[in-house]
């Protein structure tokens, strides 16, 4: 069974204080790892797809990286508008559905 | 803009009173999903459609049913809502073969009194 664990559960940063969010996964044959952003009361918004270890993707202040066991979402010089819950999900060869983690709630103070 | 629309955004129902949530999409995607998400929890897949082919998750209670009358619309019926069914219900769409690129609607927040 595919599993995704995200840590920490919540993270509070000062504006400009860079940090990383962790997503550890167990999957039989990774077809892809995905990061979503979810604002309160809204649906998840797609951010990145990573397919193989060593791959990196960037978007503004966010950078996602992937190893064979985990993925990191690095946030450089965050701003208050980066405050949200960040969800990680995996798609394995044995499954046709995404397995999501519980998410990491990020709060960035001005 | 192409999008996934859910109605209503907020739904209040009484214990045991049937409720229907609606999802429509202008993306012309052939796969539609319904997820349940409780506070601080991961989205939990209830079922999905490949075109008209219905795929139920093994642990989805019988209390939850779905209909997809055409490509654009999908409905979630909760026949007898219990207090434990209070949650955010998310609809998502994707193209066959690309389940990772799921586009989510804004969700319907269900409250059960």
């Amino acid at each position: 069974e595919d599993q995704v664990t995200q840590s920490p559960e919540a993270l509070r940063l000062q504006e400009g204080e860079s940090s990383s969010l962790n997503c550890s996964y167990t999957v039989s044959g990774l077809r892809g790892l995905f990061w979503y952003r979810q604002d309160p009361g809204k649906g998840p918004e797609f951010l990145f797809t990573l397919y193989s270890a060593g791959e990196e993707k960037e978007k503004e202040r966010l950078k996602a990286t992937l190893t064979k066991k985990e993925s990191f979402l690095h946030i450089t010089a965050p701003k208050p508008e980066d405050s949200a819950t960040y969800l990680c999900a995996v798609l394995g060869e044995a499954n046709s559905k995404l397995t999501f983690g519980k998410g990491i709630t990020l709060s960035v103070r001005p | 803009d192409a999008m996934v629309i859910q109605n209503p955004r907020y739904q209040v129902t009484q214990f045991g009173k049937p409720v229907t949530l609606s999802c429509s999409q202008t993306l012309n995607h052939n796969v539609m999903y319904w997820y349940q998400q409780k506070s601080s929890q991961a989205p939990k897949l209830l079922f999905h459609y490949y075109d008209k082919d219905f795929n139920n998750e093994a642990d989805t209670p019988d209390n939850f049913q779905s209909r997809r009358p055409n490509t654009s619309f999908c409905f979630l019926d909760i026949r007898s809502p219990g207090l434990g069914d209070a949650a955010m219900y998310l609809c998502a769409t994707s193209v066959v073969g690309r389940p990772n690129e799921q586009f989510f609607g804004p969700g319907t927040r269900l409250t059960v009194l």
Side-chain angles (χ1 to χ4, degrees):
Chain A
E1 182 179 339
D2 301 342
Q3 290 188 331
V4 176
T5 303
Q6 293 188 249
S7 61
E9 288 186 7
L11 182 62
R12 297 185 69 182
L13 299 174
Q14 196 69 36
E15 184 172 2
E17 180 187 0
S18 301
S19 188
S20 297
L21 312 181
N22 177 262
C23 171
S24 298
Y25 65 90
T26 304
V27 66
S28 177
L30 181 70
R31 290 170 57 189
L33 183 140
F34 318 100
W35 283 97
Y36 286 83
R37 169 186 171 135
Q38 186 173 24
D39 291 300
K42 296 187 178 180
E45 175 187 349
F46 174 76
L47 291 174
F48 303 110
T49 304
L50 301 167
Y51 294 104
S52 58
E55 189 175 359
E56 298 182 353
K57 294 273 179 74
E58 283 190 69
K59 180 180 179 181
E60 296 180 351
R61 295 177 291 282
L62 300 177
K63 178 180 175 181
T65 62
L66 181 65
T67 72
K68 290 186 177 180
K69 293 183 179 181
E70 57 191 354
S71 176
F72 290 95
L73 185 64
H74 306 277
I75 302 178
T76 302
K79 297 182 177 182
E81 53 261 42
D82 295 321
S83 299
T85 295
Y86 291 86
L87 294 165
C88 172
V90 296
L91 182 65
E93 288 181 346
N95 248 327
S96 59
K97 64 178 183 178
L98 296 180
T99 298
F100 281 88
K102 292 182 178 182
I104 298 170
T105 300
L106 174 66
S107 299
V108 182
R109 301 187 301 273
Chain B
D1 288 342
M3 57 173 52
V4 181
I5 302 163
Q6 291 189 244
N7 285 304
R9 294 293 314 279
Y10 301 92
Q11 176 73 58
V12 180
T13 190
Q14 292 181 335
F15 183 93
K17 184 175 181 181
V19 66
T20 295
L21 311 183
S22 168
C23 177
S24 64
Q25 53 127 343
T26 60
L27 298 163
N28 204 33
H29 286 173
N30 45 11
V31 189
M32 293 188 78
Y33 308 81
W34 278 106
Y35 288 88
Q36 178 192 65
Q37 187 179 27
K38 296 187 177 181
S39 182
S40 302
Q41 297 293 313
K44 178 182 179 297
L45 184 64
L46 297 173
F47 22 61
H48 67 281
Y49 280 91
Y50 283 117
D51 292 318
K52 291 187 177 181
D53 293 333
F54 177 70
N55 298 270
N56 197 29
E57 292 300 302
D59 57 354
T60 298
D62 292 339
N63 197 26
F64 292 86
Q65 303 286 319
S66 184
R67 296 171 282 135
R68 190 179 184 186
N70 54 53
T71 300
S72 300
F73 284 87
C74 196
F75 300 97
L76 170 61
D77 301 308
I78 308 177
R79 293 191 296 186
S80 182
L83 297 178
D85 296 327
M88 174 75 87
Y89 289 88
L90 297 165
C91 174
T93 71
S94 73
V95 176
V96 169
R98 300 171 71 178
N100 50 296
E101 295 182 16
Q102 292 188 19
F103 294 83
F104 283 83
T108 295
R109 171 71 64 184
L110 177 68
T111 300
V112 181
L113 301 178

